[in-house]
Amino acid sequence: MIYLTRRERFNAAHRLFRPDWTDEKNSQVYGKCANPNWHGHNYILLVTVKGEIKPELGYVVDLKILSKIIREKIIERLDHRNLNLEVDFLKDKIASTENIAISIWEELEPETRKLEVELHSIKLEETENNFVEYFGS
Amino acid sequence: MIYLTRRERFNAAHRLFRPDWTDEKNSQVYGKCANPNWHGHNYILLVTVKGEIKPELGYVVDLKILSKIIREKIIERLDHRNLNLEVDFLKDKIASTENIAISIWEELEPETRKLEVELHSIKLEETENNFVEYFGS
Amino acid sequence: MIYLTRRERFNAAHRLFRPDWTDEKNSQVYGKCANPNWHGHNYILLVTVKGEIKPELGYVVDLKILSKIIREKIIERLDHRNLNLEVDFLKDKIASTENIAISIWEELEPETRKLEVELHSIKLEETENNFVEYFGS
Amino acid sequence: MIYLTRRERFNAAHRLFRPDWTDEKNSQVYGKCANPNWHGHNYILLVTVKGEIKPELGYVVDLKILSKIIREKIIERLDHRNLNLEVDFLKDKIASTENIAISIWEELEPETRKLEVELHSIKLEETENNFVEYFGS
Amino acid sequence: MIYLTRRERFNAAHRLFRPDWTDEKNSQVYGKCANPNWHGHNYILLVTVKGEIKPELGYVVDLKILSKIIREKIIERLDHRNLNLEVDFLKDKIASTENIAISIWEELEPETRKLEVELHSIKLEETENNFVEYFGS
Amino acid sequence: MIYLTRRERFNAAHRLFRPDWTDEKNSQVYGKCANPNWHGHNYILLVTVKGEIKPELGYVVDLKILSKIIREKIIERLDHRNLNLEVDFLKDKIASTENIAISIWEELEPETRKLEVELHSIKLEETENNFVEYFGS
């Protein structure tokens, strides 16, 4: 069993807020992250899959294919987007790093299963000082 | 003469567009950077000043003071903000990395002069692959 | 269950030595790290906590509060300090990266418990080439 | 139990191919990585060992010794080498990041056992976007 | 006048040698960099152009176009290639970082002139510890 | 003319203070950097030389020789040292990043002249947020 990681990036706008709260309440809870005019980040996404090496090929999975799937299923839908307004799989969710990471897991897990590897973790870096990791449960 | 650099960071939303153009025209010229719903970045700002070492102190300028000024005059006004909507010194400007860097120069130059050092350059990194530098003219 | 990491930094002096050994013996065992005149590092600290996402808030723990606790309980006591002479919770310990990491765990674990998250790991980087990780046992 | 990591680097040439396939077949499967004239990488190797802290010494293992072993057993045999042609322990293997990582594990595991620590993982970064991790089984 | 930099990467094999020297002489002069079986690097290329901001557009040059030209004229010809054997514009040159950087300048300078910006510098990083910069003369 | 840079690192203790001032005065001027018990840093040193490419060799200067000189003349004298107490060429100087950079220039400049290249700059990074550059006058 070996673990393979692909790093991708996307740049997006977001805010932390609950639509059922006033701006004052959102600001009190989320601070400057609740700014109604949005802010944004250069997100770094690390997708780790695990599996046996295919002995006739020398690798767990073709990285070109893995990267293509991450770009099609995730990056193209998040990059240069507003994470609160424009991403179907984040609809009605608070756009926290935690929730985004879990949603990315849910989008990618069926895809990696088709590739006959197991999705091991989603790591999502919001800034150089803050990141989350999700292992599927 | 020695050059001293302080690195600071801010996370902000922006878009590239001209209000006198249609969305179609903006999208044609600026591509996904024109997204009307905004996107964002973790901007990295490097402020370089130059001057003689003060022999009785061993430094060009007190970094604590330089950092404090950069934070008060720039970071607090840009961090977790929408660069198109909320920053007085970017009003009516296209929020390109180039324009932001020049505007930061204009804000900081009078401040560094008060510190009796010369502002040498503003370097602004938008992503790990794109950055600009401005030297004041 | 999701894992959340906060990165902080501190700059400190230290040396590796045992007070019951001669300088010669310390130098023989620890090499240049035993220098009686001290040396120092820019330490990088990564604190990882884990927990369930609070569904009404979208996060595991408020990062502002987590960061504040790390700064108060760890960074303010280590930054610009001599790790052998000035840190109560390192007293009588060999100031190795291993021992510092474990001591940071012991200081932070009661605090994270108050936040109702579980401390998962302390990662401490001494240089770009050397780091340790501790998981609490 | 604490985990200690040492980072080392080597620069090498390689290609992905099977000698029993034609150049066309190799190119079809491995793309530009199959280039018969080779390409190369700055590989980054992270070796993680785990063990109890030796209380009389304050560390798990002497990093100078661990680093010396990694250099002698791995770096000197891989650095500025052709991984397909010149490395005995990679002979008859497809020179994928996965296979190189596993082979490094097999070379290092007996050595770390002599040091009375347990080899925990081999992480091998091929580029800033691609890396693998192996935990011994 | 503002300076704009685009960062790109390529992975390639090379060796330092003169074909009119014996392997012994090459090895004596270039050390392990002369290995006849090649070695390789993850090269990082930083292309800096300078010019006036186009006031109606807010930028010096469209980064999408600049990046496209660098990829077509440089990256596609160097990435996953053998720099000594497969690159027309490096033919008959010693494949040193210095010579590669100058040759990249010569390839790109006519292209940036067509974009009505001035090529300012080519920075080429061979490893995290070694890099060169060329300013055109 | 081409510019070649070599990156080296050293870990050292220091403090900012003037021996003719009281601890109170030093602390008032230099803040926590004046701590009488020292603190320390992982310094990163970038030495840039410039010159013509030697056409028969393909490089400006042999990097192995340049690196050896930097290590012998600078790194071995600063690494794992107390910059205030143990470095002859810093004696009686305030151990600021500015002064250290200039003193490194003065030590290296005669050496690079012997190599028939010109020393262009000394860049010294004290932390990831603070660095200085010196160009010789």
Side-chain angles (χ1 to χ4, degrees):
Chain A
M1 185 78 83
I2 200 156
Y3 295 70
L4 175 70
T5 300
R6 176 71 188 174
R7 176 182 179 271
E8 302 279 352
R9 300 176 298 115
F10 59 93
N11 310 324
H14 85 140
R15 62 178 290 218
L16 295 183
F17 83 112
R18 285 180 52 160
D20 56 333
W21 285 352
T22 62
D23 277 1
E24 289 67 31
K25 178 75 187 287
N26 276 307
S27 173
Q28 186 189 320
V29 172
Y30 295 115
K32 61 187 178 179
C33 299
N35 181 0
N37 287 314
W38 320 99
H39 67 283
H41 296 290
N42 299 340
Y43 289 92
I44 297 175
L45 170 64
L46 294 119
V47 175
T48 300
V49 297
K50 62 185 169 192
E52 303 288 337
I53 294 181
K54 293 180 177 62
E56 73 282 9
L57 289 168
Y59 54 57
V60 170
V61 65
D62 188 333
L63 259 177
K64 290 187 297 296
I65 295 174
L66 179 62
S67 173
K68 186 164 172 287
I69 286 171
I70 302 171
R71 289 178 190 226
E72 281 176 12
K73 299 290 174 186
I74 306 299
I75 303 303
E76 285 181 18
R77 291 154 84 190
L78 301 184
D79 189 39
H80 283 72
R81 295 290 175 190
N82 184 308
L83 301 182
N84 298 78
L85 301 181
E86 297 183 293
V87 183
D88 54 358
F89 67 79
L90 296 174
K91 206 168 137 64
D92 298 328
K93 296 179 183 164
I94 297 167
S96 63
T97 320
E98 287 93 332
N99 277 339
I100 303 167
I102 292 176
S103 296
I104 290 173
W105 173 286
E106 288 166 356
E107 293 300 304
L108 279 181
E109 201 278 332
E111 304 299 324
T112 52
R113 223 181 311 144
K114 286 181 212 160
L115 295 178
E116 294 176 12
V117 290
E118 199 177 331
L119 184 58
H120 174 67
S121 67
I122 296 297
K123 182 174 176 181
L124 186 61
E125 304 182 2
E126 192 183 67
T127 71
E128 69 186 33
N129 293 330
N130 299 333
F131 60 85
V132 306
E133 278 180 289
Y134 182 61
F135 298 88
S137 64
Chain B
M1 185 78 81
I2 198 157
Y3 295 70
L4 175 72
T5 301
R6 176 71 188 174
R7 176 184 179 270
E8 302 281 351
R9 299 175 300 115
F10 60 93
N11 310 322
H14 85 140
R15 62 179 291 220
L16 296 183
F17 82 113
R18 287 179 52 160
D20 55 333
W21 286 350
T22 62
D23 278 1
E24 289 66 32
K25 178 74 188 285
N26 276 306
S27 174
Q28 186 189 320
V29 171
Y30 294 116
K32 59 188 180 179
C33 299
N35 180 2
N37 288 313
W38 319 99
H39 67 283
H41 296 289
N42 299 340
Y43 288 91
I44 296 176
L45 170 64
L46 295 120
V47 175
T48 300
V49 298
K50 63 186 169 191
E52 302 289 336
I53 294 180
K54 294 179 175 63
E56 73 284 9
L57 290 167
Y59 56 56
V60 170
V61 66
D62 188 334
L63 259 176
K64 291 187 297 298
I65 295 174
L66 179 61
S67 173
K68 185 164 172 286
I69 286 171
I70 301 172
R71 289 179 190 226
E72 281 176 12
K73 298 293 173 186
I74 306 297
I75 303 301
E76 285 181 18
R77 292 155 85 190
L78 300 184
D79 189 39
H80 283 72
R81 294 289 175 191
N82 185 307
L83 302 181
N84 298 80
L85 301 180
E86 297 183 292
V87 184
D88 54 356
F89 67 79
L90 295 175
K91 207 168 135 65
D92 299 327
K93 295 178 184 166
I94 298 167
S96 64
T97 319
E98 286 92 331
N99 277 339
I100 303 167
I102 291 175
S103 296
I104 290 172
W105 174 284
E106 287 165 358
E107 293 299 305
L108 280 181
E109 202 277 332
E111 305 299 324
T112 53
R113 222 179 315 142
K114 287 180 213 162
L115 296 178
E116 292 176 14
V117 289
E118 198 177 331
L119 184 56
H120 174 67
S121 68
I122 296 297
K123 182 175 176 180
L124 186 61
E125 304 182 3
E126 191 184 65
T127 71
E128 67 186 34
N129 292 331
N130 300 333
F131 62 84
V132 306
E133 277 180 290
Y134 182 62
F135 298 87
S137 65
Chain C
M1 186 77 83
I2 198 157
Y3 296 71
L4 175 70
T5 300
R6 176 71 188 173
R7 176 183 179 269
E8 301 280 351
R9 299 175 300 114
F10 60 94
N11 310 323
H14 85 139
R15 62 178 292 220
L16 295 183
F17 83 113
R18 287 179 51 160
D20 56 333
W21 285 351
T22 61
D23 277 2
E24 289 67 31
K25 178 74 187 287
N26 276 307
S27 173
Q28 186 191 318
V29 171
Y30 294 115
K32 60 187 180 181
C33 298
N35 181 1
N37 288 312
W38 319 98
H39 67 283
H41 296 290
N42 299 341
Y43 289 92
I44 296 175
L45 170 65
L46 294 120
V47 175
T48 301
V49 298
K50 62 185 169 193
E52 303 288 336
I53 294 180
K54 293 179 177 64
E56 73 282 10
L57 290 167
Y59 55 56
V60 170
V61 65
D62 187 333
L63 259 176
K64 290 186 300 296
I65 295 174
L66 179 62
S67 172
K68 187 165 171 287
I69 286 172
I70 302 171
R71 289 178 189 226
E72 279 175 13
K73 298 292 173 186
I74 305 296
I75 304 303
E76 283 181 19
R77 291 153 84 191
L78 301 185
D79 188 39
H80 284 73
R81 294 290 176 191
N82 185 308
L83 302 181
N84 298 78
L85 302 180
E86 297 183 293
V87 183
D88 54 357
F89 67 78
L90 295 175
K91 206 168 136 65
D92 299 328
K93 295 178 184 165
I94 298 166
S96 63
T97 319
E98 285 93 332
N99 278 339
I100 303 167
I102 291 175
S103 297
I104 290 172
W105 174 284
E106 288 164 357
E107 293 300 305
L108 279 182
E109 201 278 332
E111 304 300 324
T112 53
R113 223 179 315 143
K114 285 180 215 163
L115 295 178
E116 293 176 13
V117 289
E118 199 178 330
L119 184 57
H120 173 68
S121 68
I122 296 297
K123 182 174 176 181
L124 187 61
E125 303 182 3
E126 192 184 68
T127 71
E128 67 186 34
N129 292 331
N130 300 333
F131 61 85
V132 306
E133 277 180 290
Y134 182 62
F135 297 87
S137 65
Chain D
M1 186 77 83
I2 199 158
Y3 295 71
L4 175 69
T5 301
R6 175 72 188 174
R7 176 182 179 270
E8 302 279 352
R9 299 174 300 113
F10 60 92
N11 311 323
H14 85 140
R15 62 179 290 220
L16 294 184
F17 83 112
R18 287 180 52 159
D20 56 333
W21 285 351
T22 61
D23 277 2
E24 288 69 29
K25 178 74 187 287
N26 277 306
S27 173
Q28 185 190 320
V29 171
Y30 295 115
K32 59 188 180 179
C33 298
N35 180 1
N37 288 313
W38 319 99
H39 66 284
H41 297 290
N42 299 340
Y43 288 92
I44 296 176
L45 171 64
L46 293 120
V47 175
T48 300
V49 298
K50 61 184 168 192
E52 302 288 337
I53 294 181
K54 294 179 176 64
E56 74 282 10
L57 290 168
Y59 54 57
V60 170
V61 65
D62 188 333
L63 258 177
K64 290 187 299 296
I65 295 174
L66 180 62
S67 173
K68 187 166 171 285
I69 286 171
I70 301 171
R71 289 180 189 225
E72 280 174 13
K73 299 291 173 186
I74 306 297
I75 304 303
E76 285 181 18
R77 293 154 84 190
L78 301 185
D79 188 38
H80 283 73
R81 295 290 177 189
N82 184 309
L83 301 182
N84 298 78
L85 301 180
E86 297 183 293
V87 183
D88 54 357
F89 67 77
L90 294 176
K91 206 170 137 62
D92 299 328
K93 295 177 184 164
I94 298 167
S96 64
T97 320
E98 286 93 332
N99 278 338
I100 302 167
I102 292 176
S103 297
I104 289 172
W105 174 284
E106 288 166 355
E107 293 300 304
L108 278 182
E109 200 279 331
E111 304 300 324
T112 53
R113 223 180 313 140
K114 286 181 213 161
L115 294 178
E116 293 176 12
V117 288
E118 198 177 332
L119 185 57
H120 173 68
S121 68
I122 296 296
K123 183 174 175 180
L124 187 62
E125 304 182 1
E126 192 183 68
T127 71
E128 68 186 34
N129 292 331
N130 300 332
F131 61 84
V132 305
E133 277 180 291
Y134 183 62
F135 298 87
S137 64
Chain E
M1 186 79 82
I2 199 156
Y3 296 69
L4 175 71
T5 300
R6 175 73 189 172
R7 178 184 178 267
E8 303 280 351
R9 301 175 300 114
F10 59 93
N11 309 322
H14 84 140
R15 61 180 292 220
L16 295 184
F17 83 114
R18 287 180 50 160
D20 56 332
W21 284 353
T22 61
D23 277 1
E24 290 67 30
K25 179 72 188 287
N26 276 306
S27 172
Q28 187 191 317
V29 172
Y30 294 115
K32 60 188 181 180
C33 298
N35 181 2
N37 288 313
W38 319 99
H39 66 284
H41 296 289
N42 299 341
Y43 289 92
I44 296 175
L45 171 64
L46 295 120
V47 175
T48 301
V49 298
K50 63 184 167 192
E52 302 290 336
I53 295 181
K54 294 178 176 65
E56 73 283 9
L57 290 168
Y59 55 57
V60 170
V61 66
D62 188 333
L63 259 177
K64 291 187 299 297
I65 295 173
L66 180 62
S67 174
K68 186 165 172 285
I69 285 171
I70 300 171
R71 288 179 190 226
E72 280 175 12
K73 298 293 174 187
I74 307 296
I75 304 302
E76 285 182 17
R77 292 154 84 189
L78 300 185
D79 188 39
H80 283 73
R81 296 289 176 190
N82 185 307
L83 303 181
N84 297 79
L85 302 181
E86 298 183 292
V87 183
D88 54 357
F89 67 77
L90 295 174
K91 207 168 138 62
D92 300 327
K93 295 179 184 164
I94 297 167
S96 63
T97 319
E98 285 93 332
N99 277 339
I100 302 167
I102 292 175
S103 296
I104 289 172
W105 174 285
E106 287 165 358
E107 293 299 306
L108 279 181
E109 200 277 332
E111 304 299 325
T112 53
R113 222 180 314 141
K114 285 180 212 162
L115 296 178
E116 292 176 13
V117 289
E118 198 178 332
L119 184 57
H120 174 68
S121 68
I122 296 296
K123 183 174 176 180
L124 187 61
E125 304 182 3
E126 191 184 67
T127 71
E128 68 187 33
N129 293 330
N130 300 332
F131 62 84
V132 305
E133 278 180 289
Y134 182 62
F135 298 86
S137 65
Chain F
M1 186 78 83
I2 198 157
Y3 295 71
L4 175 70
T5 299
R6 176 71 188 172
R7 177 183 179 269
E8 302 279 352
R9 299 176 301 116
F10 60 93
N11 310 323
H14 84 141
R15 62 179 291 221
L16 295 184
F17 82 115
R18 287 180 51 159
D20 56 333
W21 285 351
T22 62
D23 277 1
E24 290 68 31
K25 178 74 187 287
N26 277 306
S27 172
Q28 186 190 319
V29 172
Y30 295 116
K32 58 187 181 180
C33 298
N35 181 0
N37 288 313
W38 319 98
H39 66 283
H41 296 290
N42 299 340
Y43 289 93
I44 295 176
L45 170 64
L46 294 121
V47 175
T48 301
V49 298
K50 63 185 168 191
E52 302 288 336
I53 294 181
K54 293 179 176 64
E56 73 284 8
L57 290 167
Y59 55 55
V60 170
V61 65
D62 187 334
L63 258 177
K64 292 186 298 297
I65 295 174
L66 179 62
S67 172
K68 187 165 171 286
I69 285 171
I70 301 171
R71 289 179 190 225
E72 280 176 12
K73 299 292 172 186
I74 306 297
I75 304 301
E76 286 181 18
R77 292 155 85 189
L78 300 185
D79 189 38
H80 283 72
R81 297 287 176 193
N82 185 308
L83 301 182
N84 297 79
L85 302 181
E86 298 184 291
V87 183
D88 54 357
F89 67 78
L90 296 176
K91 208 170 136 62
D92 300 328
K93 295 177 185 165
I94 298 166
S96 63
T97 319
E98 285 92 332
N99 277 339
I100 302 167
I102 292 175
S103 295
I104 290 172
W105 173 285
E106 287 166 356
E107 292 301 304
L108 278 182
E109 200 278 332
E111 304 299 325
T112 52
R113 223 180 314 144
K114 286 181 212 161
L115 295 178
E116 293 175 12
V117 289
E118 199 177 331
L119 185 57
H120 173 68
S121 68
I122 297 296
K123 182 175 176 180
L124 187 62
E125 304 182 3
E126 191 185 66
T127 71
E128 67 186 35
N129 292 331
N130 301 332
F131 61 85
V132 305
E133 278 180 291
Y134 182 61
F135 298 87
S137 65

